[in-house]
């Protein structure tokens, strides 16, 4: 899979159209790597000139900030901003709503001002520009419900781009009772992914999975690697792995287009 780095591009005197910010999950988590690969396949199909930072990419600092370590967040952010500004990056796309939120809303105050897109927004733009189309026959008739990531939906009010892409797949989109502004968190945001469960009789991800299962879906669509992990764990807890799939929207598009 051809994925050029910014360093490679600069060495050739080239500037990519967009920087793909892979994020920690998309780089290291085996399940999330599949989302990164699916998105890269879509970028290639649309002939997008892109690059990644590779080993120069570090954590955005999102988890440190949510956990209350502002000092560590600013250290991580300043390192990244120095690298990004050094490459004169203007446009960034990421599959991770946490990175999306941090790069878009928190980096500008520290000198990192970029045009930042969630991958569903970017794919939607590619379609509107006539650079990409989605095959609506491959998944036709499947029942799909979409789980809104907190940092995409409620934090940044991005509700329509993921749903527009899902509808283009030719599937039957069925909303959970709690969706868009009232959507329930998967349980992984705000650095909760990395801490032990608190007292209670049910995990948040199990409660959210129950919301999804009430729609009787074939597929639970996600737009965040952390949500993907939490919903997958919820499906395993409910012993529904053989009946319900959890897939990122990028994976669904790659599958539909047979990439």
């Amino acid at each position: 899979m051809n994925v050029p780095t910014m360093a490679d591009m600069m060495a050739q005197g080239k500037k990519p159209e967009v920087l793909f910010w892979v994020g920690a999950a998309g780089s290291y988590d085996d399940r999330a790597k599949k989302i990164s690969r699916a998105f890269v396949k879509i970028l290639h199909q649309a002939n997008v000139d892109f690059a990644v930072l590779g080993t120069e990419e570090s954590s955005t600092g999102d988890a440190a900030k949510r956990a209350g370590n502002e000092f560590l967040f600013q250290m991580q952010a300043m390192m990244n901003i120095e690298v990004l500004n050094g490459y004169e990056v203007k446009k960034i796309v990421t599959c991770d709503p946490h990175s999306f939120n941090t790069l878009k809303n928190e980096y500008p105050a520290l000198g990192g001002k970029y045009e930042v897109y969630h991958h569903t927004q970017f794919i939607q733009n590619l379609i509107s520009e006539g650079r990409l189309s989605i095959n609506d026959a491959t998944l036709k008739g499947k029942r799909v419900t979409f789980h809104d990531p907190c940092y995409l939906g409620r934090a940044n009010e991005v509700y329509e781009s993921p749903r527009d892409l899902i509808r283009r797949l030719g599937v039957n989109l069925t909303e959970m009772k709690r969706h868009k502004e009232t959507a329930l968190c998967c349980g992984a945001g705000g650095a909760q992914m990395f801490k032990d469960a608190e007292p209670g009789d049910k995990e948040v991800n199990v409660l959210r999975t129950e919301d999804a299962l009430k729609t009787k879906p074939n597929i639970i669509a996600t737009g965040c690697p952390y949500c993907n992990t939490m919903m997958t764990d919820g499906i395993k807890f409910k012993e529904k792995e053989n009946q319900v799939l959890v897939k990122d929207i990028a994976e669904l598009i790659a599958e539909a287009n047979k990439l």
Side-chain angles (χ1 to χ4, degrees):
M1 189 175 284
N2 179 30
V3 183
T5 64
M6 287 297 292
D8 293 338
M9 286 276 203
M10 288 294 276
Q12 297 168 38
K14 295 179 185 173
K15 265 193 178 179
E17 173 188 344
V18 66
L19 170 77
F20 172 30
W21 185 276
V22 185
S27 300
Y28 296 108
D29 181 79
D30 286 341
R31 177 64 188 87
K33 285 178 194 175
K34 294 178 182 177
I35 299 169
S36 302
R37 290 192 189 102
F39 184 55
V40 165
K41 287 174 184 176
I42 293 166
L43 292 175
H44 280 311
Q45 188 182 34
N47 292 315
V48 176
D49 189 19
F50 75 99
V52 298
L53 286 176
T55 55
E56 291 184 277
E57 182 185 303
S58 179
S59 167
T60 58
D62 164 76
K65 187 176 182 73
R66 307 304 154 216
N69 194 336
E70 181 68 21
F71 177 69
L72 178 57
F73 161 70
Q74 293 206 13
M75 274 177 54
Q76 291 178 305
M78 294 303 286
M79 280 195 308
N80 286 324
I81 289 166
E82 194 173 328
V83 172
L84 291 167
N85 290 352
Y87 284 125
E88 297 179 353
V89 169
K90 298 288 187 286
K91 190 186 286 190
I92 301 174
V93 62
T94 181
C95 300
D96 175 13
H98 299 258
S99 296
F100 168 73
N101 179 69
T102 304
L103 292 165
K104 181 175 182 281
N105 299 322
E106 291 164 349
Y107 273 31
L110 299 170
K113 296 177 182 175
Y114 318 106
E115 199 179 328
V116 187
Y117 295 91
H118 184 251
H119 68 312
T120 58
Q121 294 176 311
F122 194 77
I123 295 169
Q124 192 182 38
N125 289 346
L126 291 175
I127 292 168
S128 64
E129 290 166 8
R131 299 168 69 183
L132 182 75
S133 60
I134 298 176
N135 182 344
D136 64 0
T138 313
L139 297 170
K140 197 169 189 69
K142 295 280 188 188
R143 284 179 66 85
V144 177
T145 192
F146 176 63
H147 163 71
D148 287 278
C150 295
Y151 280 88
L152 184 66
R154 284 178 296 158
N156 286 284
E157 298 183 343
V158 178
Y159 299 114
E160 292 312 318
S161 61
R163 287 173 170 81
D164 174 56
L165 297 180
I166 291 168
R167 290 188 192 101
R168 288 176 186 272
L169 291 162
V171 300
N172 178 8
L173 175 61
T174 311
E175 296 283 9
M176 294 181 228
K177 188 175 179 182
R178 290 186 272 204
H179 66 284
K180 293 188 177 178
E181 295 89 347
T182 60
L184 187 70
C185 175
C186 73
Q192 297 294 309
M193 183 93 175
F194 311 107
K195 62 185 280 294
D196 292 331
E198 293 180 21
D201 59 6
K202 189 181 288 184
E203 294 279 10
V204 175
N205 68 310
V206 173
L207 186 60
R208 187 55 171 163
T209 302
E210 289 171 354
D211 281 356
L213 291 175
K214 283 173 188 170
T215 69
K216 297 182 169 53
N218 302 117
I219 300 166
I220 299 171
T222 61
C224 169
Y226 299 101
C227 293
N228 193 295
T229 297
M230 299 304 271
M231 299 305 281
T232 300
D233 286 353
I235 289 296
K236 286 176 183 171
F237 181 85
K238 290 289 182 179
E239 297 181 347
K240 298 278 187 184
E241 302 109 299
N242 297 328
Q243 296 137 274
V244 183
L245 297 172
V246 181
K247 293 277 188 86
D248 188 90
I249 291 171
E251 293 179 299
L252 293 175
I253 293 170
E255 184 182 336
N257 288 359
K258 297 182 168 64
L259 301 178

